[in-house]
Structure formats: C-alpha cells, structure tokens
Amino acid sequence: MPRPFSSRILGYGALGAGLVVALAVGIAAFQSLQVPQESPSASSPTPAVGCNPAPCANVRGYTLWVSNLNREADEVTMQITFRNSSQATHADPSDLELIDSARQPSHPDFSRPDCTQWSRHKFSDGAMYGPLTLCFKVTTTSPPLILRWSPDFGLFCCQTDIKLG
C-alpha cells in the first residue's frame, strides 16, 4: 500500500534537514583548520614563522617574499618571489590584494609596462617563481600597507596578511 503524500513530504523534509546539518558541520570543520593570519609588526618587520628576510609569509611550506617596496603618488610597486614546498599547485595574481591605510583593497594592475604581466603559474617541489614586479593603484600610500595573500589550499583555507609598513 503506498504511503500517504504527507508522510513522503515529512520524509523528504527530514532528509533535507539532515543534509543541512551535515553541511554545516563540514563547513565548521574546514574553517577550524584555517591557518591563522601571520602578521609581522609594521614598525619593526620580523619574519613570519618559517621565512626570512621580512617582509614575508610562510603558509604550510609555501613562502612569499616582498622586496623593493616603492610608493609614488597613488601607486605602490613591489617585487615578490614565491617558493612552493607545499601541497598548493600554483601562484596566481588573483591570490593577492593590497589593503591601504584607508582599508581600501586593490588588485594587481598590469597596465604599466614596468609591471610584470603574469597569470596562473604551476610549480611545486621547492621550486621558486619570481621575482615579479607587482603594481597596485591605491587611494593612499601612507603606512601601513598590507599585502593580503590567499594561496589556494582548498575551499576553506589560508589567508595571511603581510604588513609592509
């Protein structure tokens, strides 16, 4: 004898609620594994754990160094170099943004000829990539400037801030 329509609806509702709870627990578990932000002091740069010289960041064996920081008018330029000894597979300009002291984010600007044009680059096993010259249009060049790096380790992982002073 077929089940009444209302009991089928209740069964589907219970199944849906169970899936929502399982999804919420999974998201919470992934977020608990997120790497805490490593932020060297702006006044006296000290290297983040596992990298030197500052300013730099090391996220699970994936290291980013910043050098040759230059501030002019409404633009900030810098050189970056990566070393990948991690499970991440690539470097990508979309993983980087500069936060200025007015808390305004900007993404790499490739419109100037002295800014390195690059796109997603695959590398691993301790290989290095760079130095690359990055340019950012900003609302202010006043310190502190923060380079926010979000390397790709999966859906819910890894964002670190590098204080540039």
Side-chain angles (χ1 to χ4, degrees):
M1 173 174 185
R3 290 181 11 189
F5 180 73
S6 61
S7 74
R8 274 189 274 155
I9 294 292
L10 271 171
Y12 290 134
L15 179 63
L19 289 173
V20 167
V21 168
L23 181 62
V25 168
I27 289 172
F30 275 105
Q31 286 178 335
S32 71
L33 295 174
Q34 185 170 358
V35 172
Q37 295 183 0
E38 299 173 15
S39 302
S41 167
S43 58
S44 60
T46 56
V49 176
C51 70
N52 199 12
C56 59
N58 182 336
V59 179
R60 298 183 183 177
Y62 190 6
T63 308
L64 168 66
W65 288 273
V66 178
S67 60
N68 300 327
L69 181 66
N70 188 19
R71 304 167 196 196
E72 292 182 16
D74 64 345
E75 187 168 78
V76 173
T77 61
M78 66 187 77
Q79 287 191 318
I80 61 168
T81 304
F82 297 94
R83 183 176 62 216
N84 190 2
S85 299
S86 73
Q87 294 178 356
T89 60
H90 64 273
D92 193 311
S94 67
D95 295 342
L96 299 164
E97 69 179 348
L98 188 70
I99 312 296
D100 63 27
S101 61
R103 308 295 296 157
Q104 296 298 311
S106 59
H107 296 280
D109 177 14
F110 301 113
S111 64
R112 287 190 29 187
D114 55 338
C115 302
T116 306
Q117 285 277 5
W118 63 291
S119 58
R120 183 179 170 124
H121 176 78
K122 291 187 176 192
F123 68 122
S124 59
D125 298 324
M128 295 191 74
Y129 181 54
L132 307 165
T133 302
L134 282 185
C135 300
F136 296 91
K137 292 280 189 191
V138 293
T139 57
T140 177
T141 59
S142 300
L145 297 171
I146 298 171
L147 183 63
R148 179 161 289 157
W149 181 36
S150 303
D152 186 7
F153 280 95
L155 189 58
F156 296 103
C157 184
C158 308
Q159 173 181 298
T160 191
D161 288 348
I162 304 169
K163 289 189 181 179
L164 303 175

